[in-house]
Amino acid sequence: MLDANLLRNDLDAVAARLADRGYVLDVAAYRSLDERRRAVLQEAEALKAERNRVSEEVGRLKRAKENADALIAQQREVGDKLKALEGAEREAEAAFRDFLAGLPNLPHASVPAGKDEHANVEVKRWGQVPAIEKPLDHVELGTKLGILDLDRAAKLSGARFAVLKGLGAKLERALIAFMLDRQAAAGYEEVIPPYLVNADSMYGTGQLPKFEQDLFKTSRGDGAPLYLIPTAEVPVTNLYRDEILAAEMLPLRHCAFTPCFRSEAGSYGKDTKGIIRQHQFHKVELVAFAAPDQAEAELERLTSNAEAILEALGLPYRRVLLCTGDMGFSSQKTYDLEVWLPSQATYREISSCSWFGDFQARRANIRFRPKDGKPAFLHTLNGSGLAVGRTWVAILENCQQPDGSIRVPEALRPYLGGLEVIR
């Protein structure tokens, strides 16, 4: 959530920066909501001051043993007006907050301007793209090896689900353990969070209210709504909701493996073949909390930690800086890591590493206490380290051999009992 004072003090500049993202700020609506909210607050403050003045006068008259009936009646009248105003105050505050909640984050000054992915900037490229004559895709490879079954998954759950079997399932499990071990060695504390969270948690990281259609929703026995997490970013970031952290705790780093659930609303027709885009998938997430002056360096560190997994597995990739029009709703700066897929002869996203500034912290009320200072909002960051299913895909396609077998990356072999080839 954006700072309300930022809009009030420099509305035109905020509108211009949001326009870089392709978002048109309704300036008239903002002004109307802000004026209504301030008018109600001012009226309430005036009535409170009047109530205090009358109360003091009633007390003075009573001490002097004089008649205070008229003032007592006036005091009651002011109290009634204040009570009636409470509803209007709540409504004005809620409408103003809902308006702010619908505004995306402001892009960082270092983010290139652009409308879509065509304006993204490649920052680096790593690894040698393998020379494979007529490469098979992961569906053909996995099906022939008997480690991937999409037909039976569709029978169980419909489209965009998968069954991994035998060495396919073991490869997935090995990747999870490998990623967690590497990130723990890089300084991330592992957590296992809940996979169902409440609406406050979804609101804190920006999924609600704007993106409810992308979520799977259920409820408890008492009817209270619960959401299946779309990423571990949600529960791990909200671990510290409504808390004030000590400055010396920062930067604070966590990693978490979770299943992720996404309805993929609006993505029909995209990546329908295989397991690139699923309703349920596994991911190892990196989440960091930093003081404002630490955050930019923390983004570089977090992104490098995700890259280290790809490099250890020998998977060619590139890092791309997203332009203003291609960033996620809550992000102020994002790097995408894209892995090479031979069957598509292109790079595909496997990790998105984002710096949110105080946008999420303001929504979730996560603050830190600087030394000799008042509590302030900290900065949050997160990134995939990595999307496990897409890493599984990348290994099958990049490590395929002429006979259809898969060479297991050397770094992963200890997690598969020394297995060198999947046949």
Side-chain angles (χ1 to χ4, degrees):
M1 181 178 291
L2 299 180
D3 184 353
N5 291 323
L6 187 61
L7 276 83
R8 186 172 300 122
N9 297 331
D10 206 351
L11 183 60
D12 290 340
V14 171
R17 293 175 68 188
L18 288 176
D20 283 342
R21 296 191 60 136
Y23 184 90
V24 179
L25 177 64
D26 191 336
V27 173
Y30 164 76
R31 285 185 173 140
S32 174
L33 289 168
D34 190 40
E35 287 169 6
R36 171 61 179 156
R37 170 174 168 268
R38 285 194 285 173
V40 171
L41 290 174
Q42 288 169 2
E43 186 178 354
E45 290 301 316
L47 285 171
K48 289 173 184 176
E50 176 68 7
R51 181 183 60 187
N52 293 339
R53 184 192 67 76
V54 172
S55 181
E56 289 177 3
E57 185 64 13
V58 168
R60 185 189 67 78
L61 290 174
K62 285 184 175 181
R63 287 192 298 273
K65 299 188 183 301
E66 297 180 24
N67 189 305
D69 290 349
L71 282 175
I72 291 173
Q74 184 181 344
Q75 186 181 42
R76 190 178 299 115
E77 183 181 349
V78 172
D80 290 343
K81 286 182 180 178
L82 267 174
K83 190 172 183 180
L85 198 61
E86 285 178 0
E89 191 175 355
R90 283 195 301 270
E91 287 178 9
E93 192 67 42
F96 182 74
R97 187 174 179 83
D98 287 347
F99 181 86
L100 287 183
L103 301 181
N105 203 354
L106 301 180
H108 189 263
S110 62
V111 174
K115 293 182 179 180
D116 52 36
E117 71 259 16
H118 299 295
N120 294 342
V121 177
E122 183 176 312
V123 176
K124 65 178 283 190
R125 194 173 287 209
W126 183 93
Q128 184 67 40
V129 170
I132 304 173
E133 187 176 352
K134 295 182 180 180
L136 301 180
D137 66 25
H138 67 281
V139 177
E140 295 172 287
L141 289 163
T143 302
K144 288 180 178 179
L145 288 167
I147 62 176
L148 174 65
D149 193 332
L150 296 177
D151 291 337
R152 288 190 173 94
K155 178 173 66 175
L156 297 174
S157 307
R160 297 195 176 184
F161 289 92
V163 171
L164 302 182
K165 301 190 301 181
L167 288 177
K170 289 184 179 181
L171 177 61
E172 180 97 351
R173 183 156 46 89
L175 282 168
I176 294 165
F178 171 71
M179 291 175 186
L180 287 172
D181 286 350
R182 286 294 178 117
Q183 302 303 357
Y188 293 85
E189 180 183 30
E190 183 179 349
V191 297
I192 299 178
Y195 304 153
L196 290 164
V197 297
N198 55 30
D200 287 343
S201 297
M202 287 293 187
Y203 180 87
T205 46
Q207 279 76 23
L208 289 179
K210 188 174 179 61
F211 301 106
E212 185 158 12
Q213 65 172 350
D214 294 323
L215 305 171
F216 285 108
K217 183 179 180 181
T218 184
S219 61
R220 300 187 307 195
D222 60 4
L226 286 173
Y227 295 86
L228 279 71
I229 61 170
T231 166
E233 165 197 347
V234 177
V236 178
T237 301
N238 280 277
L239 284 174
Y240 303 101
R241 190 173 73 240
D242 296 323
E243 293 188 28
I244 300 174
L245 306 181
E248 52 268 26
M249 294 175 65
L250 305 178
L252 178 63
R253 305 178 181 110
H254 288 308
C255 65
F257 156 71
T258 66
C260 304
F261 306 91
R262 299 183 185 179
S263 72
E264 295 293 349
S267 66
Y268 298 105
K270 297 179 181 177
D271 300 316
T272 55
K273 183 179 181 182
I275 61 173
I276 295 292
R277 192 181 297 271
Q278 297 274 281
H279 290 309
Q280 173 190 308
F281 59 95
H282 293 148
K283 186 151 67 78
V284 171
E285 190 76 0
L286 309 178
V287 178
F289 306 82
D293 61 351
Q294 301 169 331
E296 190 163 13
E298 192 65 20
L299 174 64
E300 299 299 326
R301 183 186 191 279
L302 184 147
T303 306
S304 295
N305 295 143
E307 289 174 335
I309 301 295
L310 291 166
E311 293 175 12
L313 295 172
L315 297 174
Y317 72 90
R318 66 174 188 164
R319 184 200 292 202
V320 175
L321 175 61
L322 300 193
C323 71
T324 53
D326 200 32
M327 291 194 304
F329 175 81
S330 300
S331 179
Q332 70 172 26
K333 184 174 183 177
T334 295
Y335 290 119
D336 270 4
L337 302 183
E338 300 177 349
V339 69
W340 177 259
L341 292 186
S343 70
Q344 300 182 21
T346 191
Y347 291 93
R348 297 299 305 271
E349 180 194 339
I350 196 167
S351 173
S352 191
C353 302
S354 298
W355 170 22
F356 303 100
D358 63 9
F359 188 85
Q360 290 182 332
R362 194 175 293 278
R363 296 173 74 104
N365 191 29
I366 310 173
R367 295 178 290 170
F368 76 108
R369 190 183 300 278
K371 293 180 180 178
D372 304 321
K374 295 180 180 180
F377 290 110
L378 49 70
H379 285 199
T380 60
L381 309 96
N382 69 56
S384 305
L386 302 162
V388 181
R390 292 192 179 190
T391 309
W392 191 96
V393 167
I395 288 175
L396 258 65
E397 294 206 4
N398 283 279
C399 300
Q400 62 181 290
Q401 302 186 113
D403 63 355
S405 64
I406 309 299
R407 175 182 51 80
V408 176
E410 189 172 342
L412 206 57
R413 292 173 188 174
Y415 294 84
L416 287 165
L419 183 70
E420 296 182 6
V421 178
I422 297 175
R423 300 187 184 281

